[in-house]
């Protein structure tokens, strides 16, 4: 990349400050809440109009038959592509367009996209409509500064990352959109801070543990077998043995925050006994001994751990409880599993992004790994594409919080970094 191109890119990005603000605000004002999956087509059509006017070819893809897809809430995705004038690689920016529920505690309109000082507030501002806007502005600025670029630039806005990504990146990957013969480099603009490159994430195993008992009249519990008490014994064994053991396991992966550098397990939910009645129900519950209790566990494991052993460890714990409780019976059902992912620091997209961060910010890039999974899992597992990172503006701790915001300066700096990556990989 020449000094002249570097200067042109800096000027193109600087001239787009008002545009990046307006684009981010427009995206926030489209409430793409997941669940249930609102306004997915609206946001894809908005982006299709803008990118189409900018010379991108656009595909709108509905993930028909994917989890969550329905006539009421279809799972829509957008993939836009700008072809260069010569052969070369394809650099793909992938952002999810869905946002989580609003929750409580807001002091601003969650979809008002208010601007105060250097911040834009709203649900999804940080996670990750600010990153989506930054990638679009970066691509448009690069095309303006380097119209004869090689290869291709792609921008995608995909569904359902917040609920697993099966109606978004997974669906596209299964149909070849992320195959290495058509895409060679991927940046996912998740909010990992503008000076850090996220190389991957820990592994995850979600499972449901069911303890079983025998129903009886609540006045004669000795005639039944309480499944909730059995689950209590399971939780007590976890507290006594499993949680302390997990706390001793540490990874060489640069996982953030520090507490996530160990193995973790979360009890996601527990349900036992009679079903919870509707809020307007005014009667008393029936007097029964519960014969079923279910707990959902969320086990995050390290690249040094083996998933089969992670599962055996939970089964062994249950067998220990069973040996002490003669009537104890249980079942473990797998719900979801993802292997850990970590791109090598020597990968071309990592090297190019690190060099761009140092040029824009004047300091070396940090390298991190996410405590939770994101759509890199599908690009790696299904697409078999290893040259993938997460890099984008925003403060990770603000994701899913009330009064979520993204910094305008952060978006501008990240957009310049992304544009420099395009120049490094695609300039003639």
């Amino acid at each position: 990349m020449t000094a002249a191109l570097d200067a042109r890119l800096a000027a193109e990005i600087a001239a787009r400050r008002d545009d990046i603000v307006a684009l981010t605000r427009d995206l926030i004002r489209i409430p793409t809440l997941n669940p249930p999956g609102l306004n997915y087509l609206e946001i894809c059509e908005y982006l299709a109009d803008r990118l189409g006017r900018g010379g991108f070819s656009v595909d709108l893809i509905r993930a028909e038959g994917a989890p969550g897809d329905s006539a009421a809430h279809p799972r829509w995705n957008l993939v836009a592509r700008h072809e260069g004038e010569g052969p070369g690689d394809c650099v793909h920016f992938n952002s999810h367009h869905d946002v989580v529920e609003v929750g409580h505690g807001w002091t601003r309109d969650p979809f008002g996209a208010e601007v105060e000082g250097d911040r834009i507030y709203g649900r999804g501002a940080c996670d990750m409509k600010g990153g989506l806007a930054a990638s679009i502005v970066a691509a448009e600025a690069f095309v303006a500064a380097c119209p004869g670029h090689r290869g291709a630039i792609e921008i995608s806005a995909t569904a359902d990352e917040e609920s697993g990504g099966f109606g978004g990146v997974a669906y596209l990957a299964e149909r070849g959109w992320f195959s290495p013969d058509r895409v060679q480099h991927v940046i996912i603009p998740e909010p990992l801070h503008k000076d850090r490159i996220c190389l991957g994430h820990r592994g995850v195993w979600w499972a449901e543990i069911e303890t079983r008992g025998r129903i009886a009249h609540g006045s004669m519990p000795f005639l039944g077998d309480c499944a909730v008490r059995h689950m209590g014994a399971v939780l007590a064994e976890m507290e006594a043995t499993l949680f302390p053991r997990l706390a001793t396991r540490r990874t060489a992966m640069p996982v953030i925050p520090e507490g996530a550098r160990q193995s973790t397990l979360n009890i996601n939910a527990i349900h036992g006994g009679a079903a919870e009645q509707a809020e307007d129900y005014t009667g008393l519950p029936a007097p029964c001994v519960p014969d079923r209790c279910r707990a959902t566990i969320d086990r995050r494991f390290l690249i040094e751990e083996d998933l089969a052993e992670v599962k055996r460890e939970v089964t062994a714990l249950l067998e220990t409880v069973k040996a002490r409780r003669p009537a104890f019976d249980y079942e473990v059902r797998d719900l979801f599993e993802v292997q850990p992912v970590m791109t090598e620091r020597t990968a071309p997209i990592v090297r190019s992004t690190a060099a761009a961060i140092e040029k824009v910010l004047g300091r070396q890039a940090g390298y991190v790994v996410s405590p939770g999974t994101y759509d890199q899992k599908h690009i790696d597992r299904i697409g078999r594409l290893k040259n993938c990172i997460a890099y984008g503006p925003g403060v990770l701790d603000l994701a899913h919080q009330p009064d979520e915001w993204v910094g305008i300066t952060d978006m501008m700096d990240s957009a310049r970094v992304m544009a420099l990556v395009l120049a490094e990989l695609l300039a003639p």
Side-chain angles (χ1 to χ4, degrees):
M1 182 178 59
T2 65
L5 177 55
D6 184 9
R8 287 202 305 274
L9 284 173
E12 289 286 348
I13 295 291
R16 286 167 164 77
R17 181 182 177 90
D18 290 346
D19 183 40
I20 204 169
V21 171
L23 174 57
T24 304
R25 297 183 76 192
D26 283 351
L27 295 173
I28 292 169
R29 287 173 178 143
I30 304 173
T32 47
L33 286 163
N34 177 28
L38 300 179
N39 303 305
Y40 284 7
L41 181 57
E42 180 181 346
I43 199 168
C44 288
E45 288 178 337
Y46 171 91
L47 293 168
D49 178 66
R50 177 182 176 119
L51 292 166
R53 285 186 280 110
F56 285 75
S57 61
V58 178
D59 287 286
L60 295 182
I61 305 110
R62 178 180 169 184
E64 294 192 63
D69 180 70
S70 67
H73 301 110
R75 267 42 194 173
W76 284 101
N77 302 277
L78 169 140
V79 179
R81 184 178 177 98
H82 192 279
E83 294 285 355
E85 296 186 0
D89 288 350
C90 174
V91 180
H92 185 114
F93 296 96
N94 165 248
S95 298
H96 65 85
H97 58 59
D98 61 316
V99 302
V100 297
E101 66 175 306
V102 171
H104 301 285
W106 286 77
T107 65
R108 305 165 186 271
D109 179 354
F111 300 107
E114 297 176 29
V115 177
E116 183 177 308
D118 192 52
R119 299 177 178 182
I120 306 174
Y121 289 86
R123 176 53 84 222
C126 168
D127 185 15
M128 59 182 299
K129 290 179 177 178
L132 173 56
S135 67
I136 291 171
V137 167
E140 292 172 341
F142 174 72
V143 170
C146 193
H149 69 84
R150 299 179 292 112
I153 305 164
E154 284 191 345
I155 294 171
S156 61
T158 51
D160 286 3
E161 189 275 344
E162 298 292 5
S163 56
F166 297 101
V169 170
Y171 185 90
L172 296 178
E174 287 166 353
R175 285 150 184 81
W177 289 89
F178 288 98
S179 61
D181 61 339
R182 69 175 305 278
V183 175
Q184 287 73 49
H185 315 271
V186 177
I187 293 179
I188 303 175
E190 290 276 9
L192 274 302
H193 303 250
K194 64 183 178 183
D195 60 350
R196 301 196 302 201
I197 298 170
C198 185
L199 302 173
H201 52 71
R202 293 189 299 173
V204 57
W205 173 49
W206 279 31
E208 184 178 76
I209 299 171
E210 181 177 86
T211 55
R212 295 168 178 166
R214 186 175 68 255
I215 194 168
H217 198 288
S219 69
M220 296 174 287
F222 45 84
L223 297 180
D225 186 21
C226 182
V228 173
R229 289 183 63 185
H230 286 320
M231 186 62 74
V234 171
L235 299 180
E237 184 64 24
M238 286 182 174
E239 292 288 349
T241 61
L242 183 56
F243 284 112
R245 192 182 312 136
L246 298 183
T248 67
R249 297 176 187 165
R250 305 285 292 177
T251 182
M253 301 170 79
V255 184
I256 55 168
E258 180 65 24
R261 295 196 70 171
Q262 68 179 49
S263 300
T264 60
L265 185 144
N266 177 53
I267 308 298
N268 185 276
I270 296 179
H271 303 279
E276 188 172 354
Q277 300 298 322
E279 289 186 5
D280 59 354
Y281 177 73
T282 59
L284 295 172
C288 293
V289 174
D291 61 358
R292 293 289 186 275
C293 186
R294 297 183 306 279
T296 303
I297 62 170
D298 178 351
R299 173 72 161 86
R300 304 296 168 134
F301 61 98
L302 313 175
I303 205 165
E304 294 87 353
E305 294 183 284
D306 177 70
L307 177 56
E309 181 56 35
V310 166
K311 294 181 178 183
R312 281 194 293 270
E313 188 171 44
V314 171
T315 302
L317 180 146
L318 293 165
E319 286 294 317
T320 297
V321 175
K322 186 173 183 177
R324 295 198 296 258
R325 302 175 73 87
F328 178 80
D329 192 18
Y330 69 89
E331 180 181 357
V332 179
R333 290 184 286 272
D334 289 340
L335 299 178
F336 177 59
E337 60 188 52
V338 172
Q339 292 286 348
V341 170
M342 191 164 74
T343 298
E344 296 291 337
R345 293 192 190 188
T346 56
I349 194 64
V350 178
R351 296 199 311 268
S352 298
T353 306
I357 288 172
E358 187 167 0
K359 177 171 286 189
V360 172
L361 301 178
R363 57 183 180 270
Q364 290 188 337
Y367 298 95
V368 299
V369 167
S370 173
T373 66
Y374 54 94
D375 277 336
Q376 184 172 346
K377 59 183 177 283
H378 299 309
I379 293 169
D380 178 275
R381 176 179 61 89
I382 303 171
R384 304 299 179 191
L385 180 60
K386 305 298 182 182
N387 194 28
C388 176
I389 60 170
Y391 169 76
V395 179
L396 180 61
D397 294 352
L398 297 173
H400 301 194
Q401 294 285 336
D403 289 343
E404 178 184 348
W405 57 269
V406 66
I408 297 168
T409 300
D410 290 346
M411 287 194 294
M412 293 289 289
D413 287 343
S414 291
R416 189 176 169 208
V417 168
M418 295 175 194
L420 288 173
V421 171
L422 291 173
E424 174 71 21
L425 298 173
L426 302 182

